[in-house]
């Protein structure tokens, strides 16, 4: 990127909370490029040194702030979750029964956690040991590597979050320390919902078996289908003359594909669309209320790419003194911050979950009767394991925001909050008079955060859900190597990365508020911003990854994944008759790095504990010290 283009992108990101700060960065570009780029967007001057190390380091200081250091590793010690530690201290199930002991999940694996994590040295091996390959490969029936550098990208965002949180703490009179994160921690966070479900008290509500979208029309258009309404689903398929039993059998696996990362619906549905032209498919969607989106290629995305930043920060309000209700500490840099979260599904709840792990008090705004996703199977201690993965430790207040009394109650909560975070449908906040300008009248120092699908950047965009954004933004092509047909991953890649960006944007907004005399800040992030962050390197290359890229190799009892740098050499070995651990040992004796591919998300890392409901919980994404 030219200097002029970089300056333009920085200007479009909005106000810059890191003005007058300097950051010195060293280490592998895979681990530090996102760190450097985001710190520049936030206003810091970055200077790169080639220290030849295998870990990334960023030292940020100036502008009245003491130096803060972030370290980004491929693996390293994963530590424990503060939620899992709480289970040791007498936590109870929701029914009042004693909690299950917080024993590690997967601790009986033949390859111990130290050996597994010690072998992680790049993106491929990080995806393999954390279960990213296992989850992404569910639709295909065998583990598959993502063609994008997902865990390293997420780790870079986590590192920036840690630095911003430390600066917020220091600005509020607290202490800031060194933060460490890793690609392994990022990968475990990404599969946390799947890991929670795998270790729940009961089985899945839909089968874990190969199958799922995208679909292909008679004239060769590959497309994604989306609807949250079973009536629209049925009407779409009836319009295409699909067999009645197939459309009935297909709804449940389609509905749960966000949770299971697969959708084994009847083959008759694929056969149906292969017999219909794209124009007929579009007409069926328009008539039924379902939505379809043709998969875009990387070339098409490059042609329309507006190079927008992943978030924007817009100050508003007169400002005023913001007094901390609690002095933050190095390991709880957001102590004393109150976050109101009105989020559904993954993106906004995950952003608030990360803010809670950093010490904020999070209060969920739920509909009367509570969030229905609390009951989504499978459950632990009577609560959805997946819901717990994103919402444990939060308080909840029920309010019907469609009613005047419910909106009054929400405004009353906003008056004493620091952050209001939501991911409502476009236009809903303005319709309910709950947009940033409306709430600024109640609290002029509020950080108002909107995590959307498209950020208003795509004209005529379809529903802003994970898989539709993957399709429209060419993620479906970027994640698959050249010898596989493009297909969005059924792992919720963008919901997770979008949640990470949402939390990063809130932290930037909080810091900007502190440095701008208490002025409120509106922060906007999106799934499209997450998609662009993922596919950016592919757009720069102008090509997909080569055939067979990050494809694990079969062994007698499972799979092994070679590192990216030695995959070609490993392919020359016949590993089919060896146990996976023996195959890894053989390759190591020849100087080739490989790891055993986790068959379940998170388990072979030996890093999962259990929370107070008995649900599996991944380690915190950062360590402070």
């Amino acid at each position: 990127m030219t200097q002029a283009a970089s300056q333009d992108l920085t200007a479009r990101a909005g106000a810059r909370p890191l003005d007058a700060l300097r950051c010195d960065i060293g280490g592998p570009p895979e681990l530090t490029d996102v760190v450097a780029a985001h710190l520049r967007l936030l206003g810091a001057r970055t200077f790169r040194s080639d220290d030849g190390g295998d870990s990334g380091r960023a030292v940020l200081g100036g502008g009245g702030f003491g130096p803060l250091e972030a370290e980004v590793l491929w693996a390293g010690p994963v530590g424990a979750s503060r939620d899992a530690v709480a289970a040791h201290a007498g936590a109870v199930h929701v029914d009042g029964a004693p909690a299950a002991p917080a024993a590690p999940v997967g601790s009986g694996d033949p390859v111990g956690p130290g050996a597994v994590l010690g072998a992680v040295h790049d993106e491929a091996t990080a995806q393999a040991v954390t279960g990213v390959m296992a989850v992404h490969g569910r639709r295909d029936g065998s583990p598959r590597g993502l063609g994008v550098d997902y865990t390293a990208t997420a780790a870079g965002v986590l590192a920036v979050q840690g630095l911003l949180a430390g600066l917020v703490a220091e600005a509020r009179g607290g202490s800031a320390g060194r933060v460490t994160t890793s690609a392994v921690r990022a990968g475990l966070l990404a599969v946390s919902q799947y890991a929670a479900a795998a270790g729940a008290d009961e089985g899945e509500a839909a089968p874990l078996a190969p199958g799922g979208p995208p679909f292909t029309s008679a004239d060769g258009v590959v497309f994604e289908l989306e609807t949250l309404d079973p009536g629209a689903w049925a009407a779409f398929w009836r319009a295409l003359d699909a067999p009645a039993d197939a459309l009935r059998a297909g709804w449940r696996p389609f509905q749960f594909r966000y949770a299971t990362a697969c959708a084994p619906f009847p083959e008759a549905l694929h056969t149906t669309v292969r017999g219909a032209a794209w124009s007929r498919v579009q007409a069926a969607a328009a008539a039924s209320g379902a939505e379809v989106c043709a998969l875009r290629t990387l070339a098409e995305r490059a042609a329309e790419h507006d190079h927008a930043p992943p978030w924007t920060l817009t100050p508003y309000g007169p400002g005023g003194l913001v007094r901390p209700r609690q002095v933050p500490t190095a390991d709880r840099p957001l102590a004393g911050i109150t976050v109101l979260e009105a989020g559904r599904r993954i993106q906004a709840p995950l952003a608030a979950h990360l803010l809670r792990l950093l010490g904020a008090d999070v209060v969920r705004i739920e509909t009367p009767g509570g969030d229905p996703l609390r009951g989504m199977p499978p459950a632990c201690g009577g609560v959805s394991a997946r819901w717990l993965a994103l919402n444990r430790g939060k308080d909840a207040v029920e309010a019907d925001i469609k009613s005047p009394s419910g909106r009054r109650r929400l405004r009353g909560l906003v008056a004493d909050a620091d952050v209001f975070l939501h991911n409502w449908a476009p236009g809903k906040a303005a319709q309910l008079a709950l947009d940033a300008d409306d709430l600024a009248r109640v609290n002029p120092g509020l950080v108002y955060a909107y995590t959307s699908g498209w950020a208003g950047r795509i004209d005529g965009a379809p529903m802003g859900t994970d898989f539709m954004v993957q399709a429209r933004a060419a993620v479906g092509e970027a994640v698959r190597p050249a010898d596989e047909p493009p297909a969005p991953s059924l792992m919720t890649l963008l919901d997770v990365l979008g949640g990470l960006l949402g939390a990063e944007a809130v932290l930037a907004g909080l810091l900007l508020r502190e440095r701008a005399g208490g002025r409120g800040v509106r922060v906007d992030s999106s799934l499209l911003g997450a998609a662009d962050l993922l596919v950016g390197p592919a757009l720069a290359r102008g090509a997909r990854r080569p055939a067979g890229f990050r494809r694990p190799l079969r062994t007698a009892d499972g799979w092994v994944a070679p590192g990216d740098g030695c995959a070609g050499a490993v392919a020359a070995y016949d590993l089919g008759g060896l146990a996976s651990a023996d195959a890894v040992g053989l390759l190591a004796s020849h100087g080739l790095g490989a790891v055993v591919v986790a068959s379940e998300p998170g388990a072979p890392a030996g890093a999962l504990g259990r929370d107070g409901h008995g649900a599996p919980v991944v380690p915190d994404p950062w360590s402070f010290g």
Side-chain angles (χ1 to χ4, degrees), residues 294-578:
L295 268 64
R296 292 293 181 104
T297 65
L298 289 168
E300 289 173 323
R301 181 64 188 142
E304 69 172 7
H305 195 9
D306 59 0
H307 300 285
W311 22 245
T312 57
L313 311 175
T314 308
Y316 63 83
L321 185 62
V322 178
R323 295 187 183 278
R325 289 179 284 272
Q326 182 179 345
V327 177
T329 60
D331 65 338
R332 293 180 58 85
L334 296 191
I337 294 289
T338 298
V339 177
L340 297 182
E341 176 227 317
R344 294 189 68 240
R345 293 184 176 268
I346 300 173
Q347 184 186 14
L350 175 59
H353 172 68
L354 292 167
L355 298 173
R356 184 187 70 81
L357 290 176
L358 288 168
D361 296 316
V362 177
V363 180
R364 281 179 54 79
I365 308 301
E366 299 188 1
T367 56
D371 185 349
L373 293 181
R374 289 175 182 265
M376 181 183 185
C380 282
V383 183
S384 169
R386 288 192 180 88
W387 189 90
L388 285 169
L390 300 176
N391 296 296
R392 64 170 59 89
K394 300 176 183 177
D395 293 324
V397 172
E398 295 181 12
D400 180 7
I401 60 172
K402 296 179 181 179
S403 71
S405 62
R407 291 193 292 276
R408 282 195 299 271
R409 185 175 193 191
L410 177 57
R411 292 189 188 100
L413 293 169
V414 164
D416 198 39
D418 298 281
V419 178
F420 178 66
L421 167 68
H422 73 88
N423 62 342
W424 295 333
K428 181 177 179 180
Q431 178 186 357
L432 296 173
L434 296 174
D435 212 344
D437 291 340
D438 303 303
L439 297 185
R441 299 186 187 99
V442 178
N443 183 346
L446 184 71
V447 174
Y448 184 99
Y450 181 34
T451 58
S452 68
W454 301 101
R457 293 169 49 201
I458 300 288
D459 292 335
M463 190 184 306
T465 59
D466 190 308
F467 306 142
M468 294 295 264
V469 178
Q470 283 196 52
R472 183 63 178 74
V475 177
E477 186 173 51
V479 297
R480 294 271 176 168
D483 58 337
E484 296 180 16
S489 176
L490 289 183
M491 179 178 166
T492 50
L493 302 180
L494 300 187
D495 274 334
V496 170
L497 189 55
L500 286 167
L501 290 176
E504 182 185 46
V506 168
L507 289 161
L510 286 168
L511 180 61
L512 183 60
R513 182 181 72 163
E514 295 294 335
R515 301 194 76 191
R519 295 185 68 191
V521 182
R522 173 171 180 143
V523 301
D524 289 85
S525 60
S526 66
L527 298 181
L528 182 58
D532 286 343
L533 183 59
L534 270 187
V535 304
L539 294 179
R541 289 193 308 270
R544 299 165 70 184
R545 299 287 198 176
F549 186 72
R550 289 188 186 144
R551 190 171 297 157
L553 303 175
R554 196 77 164 97
T555 64
D557 61 353
W559 302 82
V560 298
D564 285 334
C566 63
V570 170
Y573 289 79
D574 181 6
L575 306 177
L578 297 175

Side-chain angles (χ1 to χ4, degrees), residues 44-468:
R45 295 170 296 123
T46 61
F47 299 86
R48 180 173 286 280
S49 62
D50 184 10
D51 60 9
D54 57 2
S55 64
R57 284 180 173 79
V59 180
L60 183 64
F65 292 93
L68 284 80
E69 181 179 353
E71 184 175 26
V72 192
L73 309 170
W74 284 115
V78 293
S81 166
R82 69 180 72 221
D83 293 326
V85 171
H88 284 293
V92 296
H93 285 302
V94 290
D95 60 3
V105 177
S107 56
D109 293 319
V111 180
V116 170
L117 298 179
V120 174
H121 61 280
D122 63 2
E123 178 68 27
T125 50
Q127 288 188 23
V129 304
T130 56
V132 170
M133 286 188 176
V135 176
H136 173 57
R138 282 180 178 176
R139 174 177 40 202
D140 300 288
S142 61
R144 290 284 190 278
L146 293 164
V148 291
D149 290 350
Y150 191 79
T151 68
T153 298
V157 177
L158 288 168
V160 175
Q161 289 174 3
L163 288 169
L164 290 172
L167 292 171
V168 171
E170 191 172 340
R172 296 171 61 235
S175 58
R178 183 170 179 266
V179 60
T180 302
T181 189
S182 69
V184 163
R185 291 194 192 201
L188 290 170
L189 178 68
V191 300
S192 59
Q193 292 185 84
Y194 306 100
D201 299 339
E202 57 187 21
E204 291 279 6
L208 297 181
F215 301 96
T216 305
S217 69
D219 39 354
V221 176
V222 182
F223 67 94
E224 270 287 343
L225 167 68
E226 184 64 281
T227 179
L228 307 178
D229 178 4
W233 164 269
F236 173 81
W237 290 108
R238 288 193 189 106
L240 296 177
D241 300 320
D245 59 344
L247 73 87
R248 284 194 298 268
W251 167 246
R252 192 168 183 82
F254 179 84
Q255 176 190 25
F256 277 91
R257 72 198 190 284
Y258 284 91
T260 61
C262 58
F265 45 67
E267 180 61 28
L269 299 183
H270 283 290
T271 302
T272 295
V273 293
R274 282 196 293 265
W278 175 234
S279 58
R280 186 183 174 197
V281 170
Q282 290 176 299
S288 65
E291 297 195 37
V292 292
C293 180
L295 268 64
R296 292 293 181 104
T297 65
L298 289 168
E300 289 173 323
R301 181 64 188 142
E304 69 172 7
H305 195 9
D306 59 0
H307 300 285
W311 22 245
T312 57
L313 311 175
T314 308
Y316 63 83
L321 185 62
V322 178
R323 295 187 183 278
R325 289 179 284 272
Q326 182 179 345
V327 177
T329 60
D331 65 338
R332 293 180 58 85
L334 296 191
I337 294 289
T338 298
V339 177
L340 297 182
E341 176 227 317
R344 294 189 68 240
R345 293 184 176 268
I346 300 173
Q347 184 186 14
L350 175 59
H353 172 68
L354 292 167
L355 298 173
R356 184 187 70 81
L357 290 176
L358 288 168
D361 296 316
V362 177
V363 180
R364 281 179 54 79
I365 308 301
E366 299 188 1
T367 56
D371 185 349
L373 293 181
R374 289 175 182 265
M376 181 183 185
C380 282
V383 183
S384 169
R386 288 192 180 88
W387 189 90
L388 285 169
L390 300 176
N391 296 296
R392 64 170 59 89
K394 300 176 183 177
D395 293 324
V397 172
E398 295 181 12
D400 180 7
I401 60 172
K402 296 179 181 179
S403 71
S405 62
R407 291 193 292 276
R408 282 195 299 271
R409 185 175 193 191
L410 177 57
R411 292 189 188 100
L413 293 169
V414 164
D416 198 39
D418 298 281
V419 178
F420 178 66
L421 167 68
H422 73 88
N423 62 342
W424 295 333
K428 181 177 179 180
Q431 178 186 357
L432 296 173
L434 296 174
D435 212 344
D437 291 340
D438 303 303
L439 297 185
R441 299 186 187 99
V442 178
N443 183 346
L446 184 71
V447 174
Y448 184 99
Y450 181 34
T451 58
S452 68
W454 301 101
R457 293 169 49 201
I458 300 288
D459 292 335
M463 190 184 306
T465 59
D466 190 308
F467 306 142
M468 294 295 264

